[in-house]
Amino acid sequence: MAFVTCFVVCFRECRTVSMTTTSEIDSHVDTGIVDANNGSVDKTRTNRLVNAQAGLTLADTVDQEFLSSLHITRMKKGLSDDLQCGFDQKPANSSTTTNFDDSCPLSAFCKCTKSKREMKCTGNIPYIPVPPAYVTSVTVLRASFGTLTNQTLTNVTNVSLSCLNLSHSEITHIEKDVFLGLKFCQGAKLDLSGNNRIYLRDLKMAFCDLASSNVSVLQLDNMDFKTFPSGLLDCLLGSKIRSLSLRNNNFLTFSGQALSPLGELTTLTLTYNYITYLQDVEGFRNLTILGLRWNNFRQIPRLFKETSPDDNVYPKLQKLRLGYNRILEIAKEDFSGLRNLKHLELKFNYIRSLANNFTADTKNFFKLCPNLDVLYLTDNIMDINNPALEELFSPLSKLTRLIIENMGIYKRLLEPLFRVLPSLRELIASRNTISDWTPGVFTEAKKLEKLYMDSNNISTISEYSFPKSLLDNLKKLNLAGNPFACTCDLMWFRNWIRTTKVTIVALNHTCYKCYSPKEWKHKNLLSFNPTVESCTVKKLNLPLILAASLGTAAVVIAITVTVFVRYRMHISYCCFLTRSKLKGDYDAFVVYSATDRNWVIQELLARVEDEEGFKLCLYDRDFIPGTDIVDNIMVSMEASRKVILVLSDSFAASEWCEWELKMAQHKLLDERREILILVKLGDIQHRNMTNRLMLLMRDKIYIDWSDCELSRHMFWQKLIRALSRPSEPTAA
């Protein structure tokens, strides 16, 4: 049995990994559910996207986890020498709702929130005002400071700062003693992100006053670093900085040598770069959390391999995040230097095989990671149903969370899964094609507390689906988005829902629906109330029924064969259309080049789906795994109201994009409606322009993307208007 299901590699020249709404989660979302097209509603998603309008990269869960753990540690130790910043007491009149202070200074620019102890100012303010007495967090965005001086920060010198955020404020120069008079609390954060025109020599000198401060988190996101500036952190030698964020820069490689002054550094975030290579082991040795999401790794970084059998290269590293890269293959020794690793994320890569000779190596693959606690394999294309995976998982006796979303798991769950993972407490197998499982699958799930199988093909849950031992231990169950058959076979499950103490996640009328029989289609599962009497079969004349059934079946078969032979081409076409309808309608199908994936994810998807509520169809998220690529494209276009063409130089040079353009024009001709929306990213070289593309751009109005903020505002207005407008008939 082949272990991998391979997609056509050349297709990735035009399609890349897109950001799914499914779980960039550290715990699966309980309030949102994966539906057929959009995936899980992700609570943390806004924490990892680049804000399309403000251009801000927001802190993700890595920093939140770090700060939370730092606070808990400080509380346990009873530290009293450092500034407490009000963490240990509730602010006056606090509540669970946002508590804005009407007396906040410069109210046209600033908002003050008592419950968060925060003053947040946005825009070109003339100065930083004196915050209210309860404030410990000061945020100033897009202030156009130019030169940052002592005078600029005068009004916050008496504030016990837990956070000072001066991001995206067009700072070009910093006086060397600008931070000298500030009072930072223990664990404080300093954010200078987005000031990408800053004079680096000034910044280096200003850091010297932070070495003796309580700043623990430093954020330098969106700084347009091509390489990390030499010596930038030299003045921070001996500082308390434990978390460094360098998101959304332009690194192609990164050296640990740059981190050598930060001896206390435990968390490094390099998300949203273009890194293909890491070097210098020493600079990473003290890390416990390393975030490498959304880069261009095609293989596991060599730094993680042991240099000798006794060498534990990174003895402290516990969390490694390699999701959203382009990793194709994993060799058995790739993680050999990470023996204390507990959390490994490999979600949304192109992994097609594990080791060169998988069958022979499965027993040893995770052998050197026996302490692994969490394993993300989401959105890869491995054949998780292969029996060889019993050997693969067998060393992971301490694994408590396994996330295998959208991996093409078909029909049945891997039977020996719980036998080889005795500590498993949470299994997330959402967005697969699981329809049923053999009776013994959950018998060994003795510690399982959370089970998520939402958005699969499960139609019936009976009293034999889960053993009593599992139901007694289970705390959360998610079966939303499945095509339930509301027949008498579902009576046990419907009655169990009423009495169980297990939390049924998202149990509401939109997430649990009947899909059959016809009279119950799309109705609320909760309104289906079968009784024992209504499901009791009356005694009938079985021989007579059998004879009549056989006779009817013979006639039907004869007619069916005749019709199929004579009209097979018409039937095939109807089946194709039916498949497209089953997929569910989209507002637009997006055609784009691999080179433009970051723009599609960070700008288009973030604005059009997250903010405006439209539903887009993207290759990696919405195509049906295991089916023909050409069929997927045709079905998805048929299921979409419109087609967005993201035109760029790389688009023009791609044969796959040219083919998709051709298909989009065929759809235009077939429907005789204006369904094309043209978005242009940058200049297109004349040598890459095909006749088809030149004619299209000559005859159609396109929307031009610009870096100018005012132009961007007009861009989004035009695009949203085009998506909202009904498709107008074309000229005959």
Side-chain angles (χ1 to χ4, degrees), residues 140-174:
V140 181
L141 305 177
R142 301 195 298 278
S144 301
F145 281 133
T147 299
L148 192 67
T149 68
N150 275 124
Q151 189 65 30
T152 312
L153 302 178
T154 294
N155 288 334
V156 296
T157 53
N158 292 322
V159 177
S160 297
L161 290 167
S162 64
C163 174
L164 178 60
N165 184 344
L166 302 174
S167 57
H168 297 271
S169 291
E170 298 185 18
I171 299 172
T172 55
H173 291 80
I174 298 182

Side-chain angles (χ1 to χ4, degrees), residues 260-274:
S260 56
L262 304 181
E264 298 293 320
L265 192 69
T266 59
T267 300
L268 176 63
T269 306
L270 292 167
T271 307
Y272 291 110
N273 282 286
Y274 301 93

Side-chain angles (χ1 to χ4, degrees), residues 93-118:
N93 302 322
S94 66
S95 66
T96 55
T97 58
T98 303
N99 187 9
F100 290 116
D101 185 353
D102 293 336
S103 64
C104 191
L106 290 180
S107 58
F109 299 93
C110 302
K111 297 291 183 184
C112 300
T113 311
K114 289 183 179 179
S115 59
K116 297 181 179 179
R117 298 182 178 274
E118 177 186 58

Side-chain angles (χ1 to χ4, degrees), residues 279-293:
Q279 57 188 358
D280 186 16
V281 174
E282 293 298 326
F284 296 97
R285 278 196 183 272
N286 291 324
L287 294 180
T288 59
I289 301 175
L290 178 57
L292 297 172
R293 290 171 174 164

Side-chain angles (χ1 to χ4, degrees), residues 15 28 45 50 74 82 108 122 163 231 297 319 392 435 619 655 665 729:
R15 289 281 182 238
H28 196 70
R45 186 169 189 224
V50 177
R74 180 175 59 78
D82 295 302
T122 305
C163 174
F297 291 106
K319 288 190 177 183
L392 176 71
S435 57
Y619 156 66
E655 293 182 5
Q665 289 182 315

